[in-house]
Amino acid sequence: MINPIYIVAIGLGTAFSLGLLRKLGKEFSFWVTIFALGAMAFISGHWLSAFLSHQITSTVITTAGGKAPFVIVFNMGMTEALFSFMVTMGAVFSGFYLHDRLIESGPSAMAVLLAGTMGLNGIILTGDIFNLFVFMEISAIATAGLVLLVSDFKALQAGFKFMLASGIISGLLLLGIIFLYNSTGTLNISELHSKAGVILKSGGVATYLITIALLLELKPFPANGWGVDLYEGAPSGVSAFIASSSATAAFFVFLKVLPLGGDISLRIAAAAGISTFVFSNLMALSYKNTSRLLGYSSIGQLGLLVGIAGLSKHLGDKTLMIILTLLGTHYLAKAGLFWLSGIVKNPNTDEWRSLRKSPVLFAFFGVFIFALLGFPPFPSFFGKWELIMGLVATKMYWWAGAILLGTMFEGIYLFRWFSRALKLQNNDTATPAVTIYSILPVVFFGFFLFYAGYYTSTFVPALRVMCLAPLLFILLLGLLDFLPAFLKNIISLAGVTAYIVYLWPHIQGNTFKIVFAGIFLGGAILALIAGFYRRGKHMGFYPMTMLMFLGLGILVDASNLLELFYGWELMTIGSYFLLIRGERSLPHGLSYLLFSLGGSLAMLFGFALAHASSGSVDLSALNHIRIMPALAYSLMLAGFMTKTASLGLHIWLPGAHGEAVADIHFMASAILLKAGVFGIILVLGGMGNTQPYAQKILFVLGWIGALTALIGNIGAAFQESAKYLLAWSSIGQLGYIVFGLASMTHLGWLAAYGYTITHFLYKGILFLLIGGVAFRVGTADMYKMGGLIKRMPFSFFAVLIAIITLAGIPPLVGFTGKWLVYNMILSKHLFYQGVVIIISGVIAFLYLFRLIHVIFLGQLKDRNRKVKEVYVWLLIPAYLMLTAIFALSMFPDMMLARLGRMLTPSFPEGALVWDGFTASSRYGTFNLQIIMAVIGATFAAVFLWLVFANRKAQKVKQFNIFYSGEAPSRPELTHYGYNFFAHYRKAVGFMATPLVTRFWDQLSQGLHGLSSYGRAIYTGNAQSYLYHIVAFVVVVYLLSAGGIS
Amino acid sequence: MLPVLLTILVIIMLLGGLLAVEHKSLLIGVISAGLVSLTASIIYVILAAPDVAMTEAAIGSGLSTVMFLYVLRRIKGDSNA
Amino acid sequence: MIHIALAGGALLIFIGIWGMLTKKNIIRIIIGFSLFDTGLHVVLVGLGYLKNRTAPIVDADLPAKAASSQSVDPVPQAIVLTAIVIGLAVTSVLLVFALKLYQSKNTLDINKLRDNTND
Amino acid sequence: MLKKLFALILIGGLGLIFFQLYNQRSRREGLTKTASYYTEKGPAETRSANIVTSVVVTYRGLDTLGEVTILFAAASIIGFFLKRSEKGSKDKTIRNQSSELLQTGSMLLVPLIFLLGIYVFVNGHLSPGGGFQGGAIIASGTVLAFLANPSFEGGRTLIHILESLSGMFYVGIGVAGIFLAAGFLDNRIFPTGNVGSFISAGAIPVIYSIIGLKVGAELSAILYSLRDTKEQQ
């Protein structure tokens, strides 16, 4: 093995020699620098690979030919090698990225970079505590120097603050070191570790000073103003270096020294770290400067790591894995984002839209953001999972809660930033300054993030390989994104089919899974068939669609909670990108994402409680949670209900769905929402209805379901846009499902399953076709349509049937669901809820009637005279579903009897009794075939009579109407379909006015207010930052004085 | 004997320190700071640390003061605390 | 002796911190920092001092055999040597920062030397 | 006023911490384990009479290398920072010439000061003093040269060459320790001689001389940069 001293020797030797190489030109010096950094990285990388292949064990390398505690030693172990490698690679790429600036500033600046990197390596490798101090000073002074690679005032004052702050901090460190030496007689860190007894007796305060100084280096809240300003003021390449390399080294040494202080240090670390995580992210909410945001985020992430280190006793041997995954993700993603910020140049978050001009970089922007927030497949996903599981298992609920809260804050500003960059108009921005030097590091770190995610997952036994395979497929699609849409469509179809073939043996015989696999993957096939109508390339569409569908597939396939969560999160990412594709969907897509994030964090906590109760992550852990079951089940339900858009969590849906185009609307509404149902069924199945808390939850859930149905239907009634109407209607329909499930009866569940399947079918038809119509007409506003029956007879017929089903009118299968729900209401005596359900059923008629009447009947508008029938590619899946509706209507037992058989073990009471095609419950019987025959005959008779009676009807022109002699100024507003239910809005509009929206708005304003209030700390004044540092030292000491021996 | 000498030196050093931060004139402040270093280096001699004493005298009171003065010279007409 | 040195060093540290926390002039703040540094060094050397012992240099007064029983602790001295030079480096960089800050805003007042463009 | 009161309170808090630190320290009668080792074995192992020197240059040589690096980094930063920001203002500042007496006097003195500096560092292993002190003395010679002749330009290139070469030699000698002796910066790559004689202590005098040159060069470079900053109008 190569002596790690050479890392120091190469770094310094090259740094010193650069002065002599001046004559050979700056480019030459630059490449010498990069080469030297590479050589340094090679040494630690070489060690790392040897450690990973278990060829060697940790080694101590002495210097000066002396014996271990008396001379300075270097420790080389697995973690040292890894951290050193990370630090140096960060320097290699940041150095490469800084090419232009380094050339501008000359070899001296390169020497500073080399010296700084050498210093960071020394921090990691050295086994001597004073030597550590020296290396920390080297890297501090080098950092200050690198900040000066830009010569504006911002950098200048940031560097000055940093130097002052680190001056005080390192003074405290030195004081601690010498007193620790005085009491223990050694400076060797390993020896110090073995002298816990002595330290306890006479080194407590000294250790406190050392710990607090190293903690201050990591910029804890609120003593971190200088740190934020440093991130903001430094050139982006240097910020990347600080956030990745420097922070990594500083954290490593903190980790190394923390155990010296015993329990009290751990407690300090936990409290300071986690509060830094929460408050930094809260503070970030009110800023728009990206460097500053990234600074807060970096500080927050490091705070989280410090907190985890402080909680290491509770996390046990998982600690290292959690730390490495979170740190690794932070390291890669934060460096990437800082590099990107240098490419974008303008520090305003909204200006990142200009990055869309180079799609590859923008894709990596997304990768970095999602990675930071712990989405799969990135390493942080697994770290976050293990972290929350571990904390909850050891009853550290508040810590876990605080971490989730901080993650939520972080999500708010990161996602806001990303979404706005993704959607804002982008015509007036400058093209980002892309050079090979700026792009290469980003791309490399971006890809490595994926690899790191894969690598981490190989250590997670709970995740089967089949959960990773879909990602490869998606990666392939991403690489083939240049192909025309129809080719990608074919590939996607092949992919889904392959997945179905894989999945089938796993779910065979499990009706529950078959139902949902049918909806998710069968739906995927239908949606992809519809997708053939697409022309052009549709960049980014297919990978994201597949991400959603395969995420849903994994959800069904999941054999444990981790896989469930994994699939859920993949699906969330994919669906977000689909929903935000709409023209005006920016705010809705964003709120979808934020609700999803909040929901998944809530679920995560719930899963952790389940895991803590049973000790396993199997799906069976959901059964009878013992630890805080009410909280656990409520959180999980709330999490899943973000996707079903239940009351209170529904505000994202209308906008997100209403703005989506036909097939995406189909995917989002008919398919995606069912993921929430899937989860609710799992949770309720585990919870049961016997426990008192379960009954309370179910009671609330039932009301939520009923009210959601009402709100959804009322909301739908007031819409002018057919798409918004359908979106609101979906909320209502999902309300029925939740209501049915909450009853915990055979009939209720049967109804819920029935609704789940039929909603998929009829809403599928409606979304595809109404979407198709809207596409042809050029608007989704219904009053701009009318009379389209003549132009689009096929669409009309399918929509008509779908609406009949939806309204629950006999004879079609929709009626079954209604009949079951009413039976259930009677059997459970849920009369109040029953009233609400019935009222919402009536309201549903109001808007459904409108849908068919206003769009297809009446006069054809002039400008619509030439419109063509909806794309055949949309009609094919619609008619397939239509066939299914007829089949199910004709043979309801095909579906219901089978579902009933599945439900009977869980709900033996109140099952339907089947006699041929006749089903009976306690309150009556029904036989859909007879009903169908009767209704069919009646309908035919009436229809024939109408045809006969209308044979003399006269055709009129569209505007052949009178308005008391006045010519209407905007004739289209005289359309009878316009603002049809205005009078209702007057009466009951208050229910539809978004009370809920206001609640979330106020919450968000409150948070931002809090955040702005906190800005008072960050005055920008170097002196007040010094105050904070000193005050931090004193206050933390006083708070923990009892514990410091 | 030595303790008395040390006490006197420490008092001089502290007075010099107070002068350095509190005196109106920056120039006198800088020179007082140099004086503090010089006193400190004598203290080091008493504390049996001749190497440190030499370093402090050469660097702390010598070069460091020169640097302060160089910078002061660039900043003119400004001497209020 | 050791008490006097430690107390003197600590007080000098406080004077330095006082200067850094209360003075508006950045040059003065840097002076405060250098006092803080010097105070630290006095504490360090003081801590290594042992009563009635001599400097750790082997010569006529201190034969090599007696070194460990008659010399003071060399480790703090070695550390302080390093720390003094580091302190000089830090001070010089701070001074250059101060100079440049002054040149860009024409003031030495720390309250005016901040970036107000944050949003 | 409030600010000062608050500062006093904080310093009071720090005082409390310091007091605890002081109270808690172990009151030693003898040397610590590490110090005993250095004082007992130091002279025998390194053959350096000055034990502090043996600690600084050998046992804790890596610290010293680091410290030299800090100076180097500071000099580099100040160099590129000041040089860049002075770009465009080519006009050399008119500096007041000093009196002839001072000029002549210092021309005599500067070489002597340099000699003194060299004397201090080559004797670092025998007597108090060494690389830092010697280096600082050399730098003060530069100061004197500036005082005597404010537009003194001599030695600028020499300084840069010295800066690089001494640094490289330092690292080189350190690495040589790995091959020729028992580890990085081991001083026994040369014959160690007897304690107290001039030619003794192996590589220590060599290293200390290199340090002296390096420190002198770095400090002089810093002084050069500072001197050359633009005068405020």
Side-chain angles (χ1 to χ4, degrees):
Chain A
M1 300 308 301
I2 308 164
N3 191 334
I5 293 283
Y6 282 114
I7 296 177
V8 171
I10 292 174
L12 283 185
T14 317
F16 292 147
S17 65
L18 283 178
L20 288 181
L21 301 176
R22 223 172 271 265
K23 290 275 181 294
L24 295 171
K26 290 178 173 176
E27 280 290 341
F28 182 78
S29 301
F30 173 78
W31 287 107
V32 167
T33 307
I34 295 295
F35 184 77
L37 288 171
M40 289 156 75
F42 174 78
I43 296 175
S44 39
H46 189 227
W47 281 86
L48 180 62
S49 68
F51 280 118
L52 286 179
S53 54
H54 304 289
Q55 288 168 5
I56 49 174
T57 50
S58 303
T59 322
V60 175
I61 294 102
T62 58
T63 61
K67 277 191 294 188
F70 305 116
V71 294
I72 294 174
V73 297
F74 271 19
N75 294 321
M76 188 50 121
M78 169 98 96
T79 38
E80 278 89 357
L82 173 64
F83 276 74
S84 152
F85 184 65
M86 283 168 74
V87 161
T88 322
M89 285 311 273
V92 171
F93 282 98
S94 286
F96 188 76
Y97 179 90
L98 284 166
H99 172 263
D100 295 357
R101 292 198 184 283
L102 287 175
I103 293 286
E104 191 190 331
S105 298
S108 304
M110 301 168 198
V112 170
L113 176 66
L114 277 168
T117 312
M118 186 283 297
L120 294 177
N121 273 295
I123 288 176
I124 290 166
L125 295 173
T126 188
D128 184 281
I129 198 159
F130 180 70
N131 196 230
L132 175 74
F133 169 85
V134 174
F135 280 122
M136 282 174 69
E137 290 283 346
I138 296 178
S139 55
I141 217 162
T143 306
L146 290 174
V147 170
L148 295 175
L149 285 178
V150 288
S151 49
D152 57 2
F153 178 68
K154 217 170 186 152
L156 201 56
Q157 49 100 23
F160 183 66
K161 284 172 203 170
F162 170 73
M163 283 299 287
L164 269 186
S166 64
I168 280 221
I169 294 170
S170 57
L172 295 173
L173 179 65
L174 187 56
L175 204 61
I177 289 173
I178 198 70
F179 273 92
L180 197 60
Y181 166 75
N182 178 62
S183 57
T184 59
T186 183
L187 291 165
N188 185 294
I189 296 176
S190 324
E191 185 129 315
L192 284 175
H193 278 294
S194 64
K195 295 209 167 186
V198 182
I199 292 177
L200 209 62
K201 209 174 91 228
S202 61
V205 186
T207 318
Y208 170 75
L209 281 179
I210 295 176
T211 313
I212 204 84
L214 294 178
L215 179 61
L216 279 165
E217 290 280 348
L218 290 164
K219 312 174 183 78
F221 177 84
N224 56 13
W226 54 279
V228 189
D229 287 0
L230 179 69
Y231 279 119
E232 189 185 341
S236 43
V238 176
S239 298
F241 179 67
I242 298 172
S244 55
S245 297
S246 305
T248 302
F251 177 67
F252 181 79
V253 46
F254 182 75
L255 211 56
K256 194 152 74 172
V257 170
L258 186 63
L260 286 182
D263 282 346
I264 185 72
S265 281
L266 292 179
R267 277 206 288 279
I268 292 172
I274 304 292
S275 58
T276 301
F277 180 57
V278 174
F279 286 107
S280 287
N281 285 323
L282 180 64
M283 292 300 110
L285 290 182
S286 57
Y287 289 95
K288 275 191 170 162
N289 180 312
T290 52
S291 303
R292 206 168 171 85
L293 283 187
L294 290 174
Y296 276 117
S297 168
S298 301
I299 288 170
Q301 292 285 335
L302 265 293
L304 178 60
L305 290 166
V306 167
I308 293 169
L311 295 168
S312 54
K313 282 209 167 157
H314 304 284
L315 295 168
D317 49 5
K318 293 268 199 235
T319 313
L320 191 63
M321 177 263 187
I322 296 172
I323 283 177
L324 289 182
T325 50
L326 293 181
L327 180 69
T329 311
H330 162 80
Y331 165 87
L332 294 167
K334 217 41 85 53
L337 284 170
F338 271 118
W339 288 330
L340 284 176
S341 81
I343 295 173
V344 173
K345 288 223 170 71
N346 193 320
N348 189 305
T349 45
D350 287 353
E351 294 305 314
W352 279 56
R353 61 207 155 112
S354 66
L355 203 57
R356 293 217 299 279
K357 288 178 178 158
S358 66
V360 176
L361 288 184
F362 197 83
F364 280 118
F365 176 29
V367 165
F368 295 140
I369 293 278
F370 279 93
L372 272 183
L373 288 165
F375 278 80
F378 306 111
S380 49
F381 169 77
F382 303 101
K384 189 170 81 175
W385 172 271
E386 292 292 353
L387 173 62
I388 300 298
M389 293 296 137
L391 286 181
V392 171
T394 49
K395 301 202 166 46
M396 301 278 111
Y397 306 120
W398 291 104
W399 295 121
I403 290 171
L404 295 178
L405 186 70
T407 310
M408 188 66 214
F409 291 155
E410 196 174 15
I412 293 175
Y413 65 85
L414 289 181
F415 281 150
R416 180 174 55 200
W417 171 17
F418 179 72
S419 298
R420 291 181 68 83
L422 181 63
K423 286 308 291 182
L424 287 178
Q425 282 294 318
N426 189 25
N427 306 324
D428 52 339
T429 52
T431 314
V434 179
T435 63
I436 181 72
Y437 296 109
S438 59
I439 200 170
L440 194 76
V442 176
V443 171
F444 188 83
F445 269 38
F447 273 114
F448 198 76
L449 208 44
F450 282 100
Y451 175 75
Y454 162 73
Y455 187 73
T456 312
S457 66
T458 57
F459 289 98
V460 180
L463 194 76
R464 284 167 300 157
V465 182
M466 260 324 282
C467 296
L468 302 172
L471 290 174
L472 272 183
F473 176 69
I474 288 157
L475 189 68
L476 177 77
L477 264 181
L479 294 175
L480 295 176
D481 215 23
F482 59 90
L483 293 176
F486 79 96
L487 276 178
K488 288 184 281 188
N489 216 354
I490 294 173
I491 300 172
S492 303
L493 266 177
V496 174
T497 316
Y499 196 79
I500 293 175
V501 169
Y502 151 76
L503 191 60
W504 178 245
H506 293 251
I507 59 172
Q508 213 173 1
N510 185 337
T511 313
F512 165 61
K513 288 196 168 179
I514 291 176
V515 167
F516 281 95
I519 292 175
F520 296 154
L521 298 173
I525 300 265
L526 293 173
L528 286 171
I529 293 174
F532 280 113
Y533 90 93
R534 293 175 169 270
R535 297 283 172 269
K537 284 191 174 170
H538 291 268
M539 296 287 274
F541 173 75
Y542 285 95
M544 289 305 142
T545 313
M546 285 294 100
L547 196 58
M548 177 177 96
F549 283 127
L550 295 177
L552 287 167
I554 293 172
L555 200 63
V556 176
D557 186 29
S559 61
N560 57 43
L561 293 174
L562 177 64
E563 289 182 352
L564 189 73
F565 194 54
Y566 183 85
W568 181 266
E569 296 284 71
L570 286 183
M571 170 268 287
T572 299
I573 304 175
S575 54
Y576 161 73
F577 281 98
L578 292 184
L579 288 176
I580 205 158
R581 283 186 91 88
E583 218 163 288
R584 279 164 299 174
S585 49
L586 167 61
H588 316 299
L590 177 58
S591 59
Y592 169 71
L593 193 54
L594 291 181
F595 273 101
S596 297
L597 179 65
S600 58
L601 295 178
M603 274 161 61
L604 185 57
F605 200 100
F607 288 166
L609 285 169
H611 164 257
S613 301
S614 65
S616 88
V617 291
D618 285 347
L619 286 182
S620 63
L622 293 178
N623 300 340
H624 309 300
I625 297 175
R626 281 180 291 101
I627 299 168
M628 298 201 283
L631 180 70
Y633 286 118
S634 307
L635 283 176
M636 284 188 267
L637 285 173
F640 285 117
M641 283 200 295
T642 55
K643 286 286 188 300
T644 60
S646 291
L647 181 71
L649 305 172
H650 68 275
I651 61 166
W652 60 269
L653 189 141
H657 287 188
E659 294 294 340
V661 298
D663 53 342
I664 296 181
H665 200 171
F666 166 60
M667 297 175 195
S669 215
I671 303 173
L672 180 63
L673 294 179
K674 304 305 186 312
V677 178
F678 179 83
I680 293 175
I681 289 177
L682 273 183
V683 175
L684 290 184
M687 181 173 77
N689 58 351
T690 50
Q691 303 287 339
Y693 66 79
Q695 281 164 2
K696 280 184 196 134
I697 291 177
L698 289 169
F699 178 76
V700 175
L701 194 65
W703 270 107
I704 290 178
L707 288 174
T708 311
L710 184 66
I711 291 287
N713 285 345
I714 291 179
F718 295 137
Q719 300 307 316
E720 292 307 331
S721 155
K723 287 184 177 183
Y724 275 82
L725 186 154
L726 289 174
W728 277 99
S729 148
S730 285
I731 296 180
Q733 299 288 311
L734 268 290
Y736 288 128
I737 297 178
V738 171
F739 177 68
L741 291 174
S743 74
M744 289 300 253
T745 57
H746 189 98
L747 289 181
W749 278 53
L750 200 54
Y753 271 102
Y755 266 117
T756 304
I757 296 168
T758 51
H759 176 261
F760 164 69
L761 295 172
Y762 56 68
K763 269 294 161 63
I765 297 172
L766 288 177
F767 289 129
L768 284 176
L769 295 183
I770 299 287
V773 169
F775 187 80
R776 287 294 199 204
V777 177
T779 172
D781 290 339
M782 290 182 287
Y783 61 84
K784 293 179 183 159
M785 305 178 190
L788 291 175
I789 182 171
K790 290 170 193 154
R791 307 295 311 166
M792 307 175 169
F794 291 102
S795 305
F796 166 75
F797 178 70
V799 168
L800 177 68
I801 298 298
I803 280 173
I804 291 174
T805 324
L806 176 94
I809 304 169
L812 293 179
V813 68
F815 173 69
T816 329
K818 222 166 222 186
W819 186 82
L820 288 167
V821 168
Y822 290 158
N823 269 304
M824 182 273 281
I825 288 171
L826 290 173
S827 70
K828 284 272 283 186
H829 305 288
L830 299 171
F831 298 119
Y832 294 111
Q833 290 94 321
V835 170
V836 174
I837 289 287
I838 290 169
I839 289 177
S840 43
V842 174
I843 296 173
F845 281 118
L846 293 179
Y847 67 79
L848 288 173
F849 142 78
R850 240 182 124 202
L851 201 56
I852 195 86
H853 192 162
V854 179
I855 296 179
F856 288 102
L857 306 181
Q859 291 287 351
L860 188 62
K861 302 249 164 173
D862 269 336
R863 60 192 189 87
N864 292 342
R865 293 217 181 278
K866 295 265 164 68
V867 294
K868 283 188 247 164
E869 174 62 280
V870 169
Y871 283 111
V872 68
W873 289 112
L874 296 178
L875 283 171
I876 292 173
Y879 270 80
L880 283 174
M881 288 187 272
L882 201 63
T883 320
I885 286 181
F886 277 121
L888 290 179
S889 303
M890 238 131 24
F891 309 102
D893 59 316
M894 198 166 75
M895 173 178 81
L896 290 180
R898 194 164 171 184
L899 290 174
R901 277 201 300 282
M902 169 184 78
L903 291 175
T904 305
S906 330
F907 303 103
E909 283 172 41
L912 289 180
V913 180
W914 287 93
D915 176 22
F917 289 132
T918 310
S920 330
S921 75
R922 256 165 68 199
Y923 299 94
T925 60
F926 89 124
N927 181 328
L928 208 56
Q929 286 187 332
I930 295 177
I931 298 174
M932 194 179 270
V934 172
I935 302 227
T938 319
F939 183 80
V942 173
F943 183 75
L944 287 176
W945 188 81
L946 277 176
V947 170
F948 176 75
N950 274 344
R951 68 190 191 281
K952 283 182 185 166
Q954 182 189 359
K955 288 197 174 183
V956 291
K957 284 267 159 75
Q958 185 184 5
F959 291 112
N960 189 0
I961 39 177
F962 288 97
Y963 282 89
S964 314
E966 280 180 42
S969 55
R970 291 178 64 200
E972 72 275 10
L973 295 187
T974 62
H975 191 287
Y976 65 90
Y978 178 71
N979 211 357
F980 198 73
F981 291 117
H983 41 293
Y984 287 114
R985 190 189 276 275
K986 268 187 198 151
V988 293
F990 69 93
M991 290 165 99
T993 40
L995 200 78
V996 182
T997 313
R998 217 181 308 148
F999 166 76
W1000 290 111
D1001 277 352
Q1002 300 224 324
L1003 183 70
S1004 142
Q1005 271 171 23
L1007 278 180
H1008 282 84
L1010 204 61
S1011 170
S1012 319
Y1013 186 72
R1015 280 174 74 148
I1017 302 171
Y1018 299 101
T1019 55
N1021 186 329
Q1023 200 160 40
S1024 30
Y1025 294 161
L1026 292 182
Y1027 262 94
H1028 297 158
I1029 290 173
V1030 178
F1032 188 81
V1033 174
V1034 172
V1035 170
V1036 174
Y1037 180 76
L1038 292 178
L1039 287 180
S1040 50
I1044 294 171
S1045 46
Chain B
M1 181 57 209
L2 271 182
V4 179
L5 185 60
L6 186 65
T7 316
I8 295 170
L9 284 170
V10 162
I11 290 170
I12 295 175
M13 180 179 79
L14 292 176
L15 287 177
L18 282 175
L19 202 63
V21 288
E22 290 298 340
H23 196 276
K24 272 213 314 283
S25 155
L26 266 183
L27 184 67
I28 294 190
V30 168
I31 292 173
S32 308
L35 177 78
V36 170
S37 280
L38 204 61
T39 336
S41 72
I42 306 175
I43 291 176
Y44 296 147
V45 173
I46 296 179
L47 293 176
D51 280 281
V52 184
M54 277 181 80
T55 315
E56 183 74 43
I59 288 179
S61 59
L63 282 174
S64 158
T65 310
V66 169
M67 284 179 190
F68 268 106
L69 290 177
Y70 261 120
V71 171
L72 267 194
R73 208 180 66 175
R74 303 280 171 252
I75 301 164
K76 283 179 181 167
D78 184 322
S79 56
N80 47 346
Chain C
M1 292 265 287
I2 186 168
H3 313 288
I4 306 166
L6 289 183
L11 287 174
L12 193 56
I13 290 177
F14 295 149
I15 292 173
I17 292 184
W18 167 260
M20 289 173 88
L21 289 186
T22 60
K23 299 297 157 190
K24 285 204 293 279
N25 187 312
I26 50 173
I27 299 287
R28 190 81 71 180
I29 290 176
I30 299 173
I31 292 179
F33 172 74
S34 96
L35 294 179
F36 169 75
D37 225 28
T38 311
L40 272 175
H41 301 155
V42 173
V43 170
L44 259 66
V45 174
L47 207 59
Y49 181 73
L50 289 164
K51 222 171 173 177
N52 301 327
R53 290 191 178 209
T54 67
I57 297 173
V58 177
D59 53 15
D61 298 338
L62 183 73
K65 292 237 166 71
S68 74
S69 58
Q70 283 179 24
S71 83
V72 300
D73 193 337
V75 177
Q77 296 191 10
I79 285 179
V80 172
L81 274 189
T82 311
I84 289 174
V85 179
I86 293 175
L88 176 75
V90 173
T91 311
S92 63
V93 173
L94 275 174
L95 278 173
V96 172
F97 268 108
L99 182 61
K100 284 288 139 185
L101 282 169
Y102 176 74
Q103 288 177 351
S104 62
K105 288 273 155 115
N106 231 342
T107 176
L108 287 172
D109 186 345
I110 192 149
N111 296 317
K112 292 175 189 148
L113 287 172
R114 57 178 159 174
D115 179 39
N116 296 320
T117 58
N118 294 345
D119 63 322
Chain D
M1 222 33 239
L2 198 65
K3 191 166 128 182
K4 292 195 171 174
L5 185 71
F6 199 57
L8 269 184
I9 295 173
L10 284 184
I11 289 175
L14 277 184
L16 182 72
I17 297 178
F18 280 33
F19 183 70
Q20 298 281 17
L21 204 57
Y22 170 77
N23 251 348
Q24 217 185 42
R25 77 178 206 286
S26 56
R27 292 154 180 78
R28 296 188 174 280
E29 289 301 315
L31 293 176
T32 63
K33 190 178 103 184
T34 313
S36 311
Y37 179 86
Y38 291 153
T39 44
E40 271 168 28
K41 304 275 171 63
E45 276 184 9
T46 63
R47 306 292 169 98
S48 163
N50 187 338
I51 296 169
V52 175
T53 298
S54 70
V55 176
V56 166
V57 180
T58 302
Y59 295 117
R60 308 193 59 82
L62 208 55
D63 283 347
T64 309
L65 181 59
E67 159 193 1
V68 167
T69 310
I70 293 178
L71 262 188
F72 168 74
S76 303
I77 291 164
I78 295 172
F80 81 71
F81 179 42
L82 289 179
K83 195 168 80 191
R84 188 187 49 200
S85 52
E86 303 298 311
K87 259 183 205 162
S89 59
K90 276 289 171 201
D91 52 324
K92 281 278 172 197
T93 325
I94 305 120
R95 299 185 178 91
N96 301 326
Q97 291 295 315
S98 39
S99 71
E100 198 145 326
L101 183 69
L102 184 56
Q103 283 195 33
T104 338
S106 58
M107 280 308 125
L108 276 171
L109 264 178
V110 169
L112 281 179
I113 290 181
F114 283 167
L115 267 181
L116 174 66
I118 291 168
Y119 176 82
V120 167
F121 64 62
V122 294
N123 279 301
H125 57 302
L126 301 176
S127 57
F132 313 119
Q133 297 89 337
I137 291 170
I138 290 180
S140 58
T142 316
V143 174
L144 194 61
F146 289 167
L147 279 179
N149 178 7
S151 43
F152 179 75
E153 282 297 317
R156 194 188 276 272
T157 331
L158 180 71
I159 285 172
H160 284 301
I161 292 174
L162 264 184
E163 209 181 342
S164 286
L165 273 185
S166 55
M168 288 161 71
F169 270 121
Y170 194 175
V171 176
I173 286 187
V175 171
I178 299 177
F179 295 104
L180 303 177
F184 189 70
L185 283 173
D186 193 337
N187 67 321
R188 287 166 295 191
I189 54 174
F190 300 136
T192 48
N194 295 317
V195 181
S197 58
F198 182 72
I199 307 288
S200 67
I204 287 183
V206 181
I207 294 177
Y208 237 2
S209 303
I210 290 172
I211 294 172
L213 290 175
K214 177 92 176 151
V215 170
E218 302 294 3
L219 292 175
S220 303
I222 293 177
L223 289 168
Y224 253 111
S225 306
L226 275 173
R227 188 199 67 174
D228 290 349
T229 49
K230 193 172 53 178
E231 301 257 358
Q232 203 61 25
Q233 284 79 25

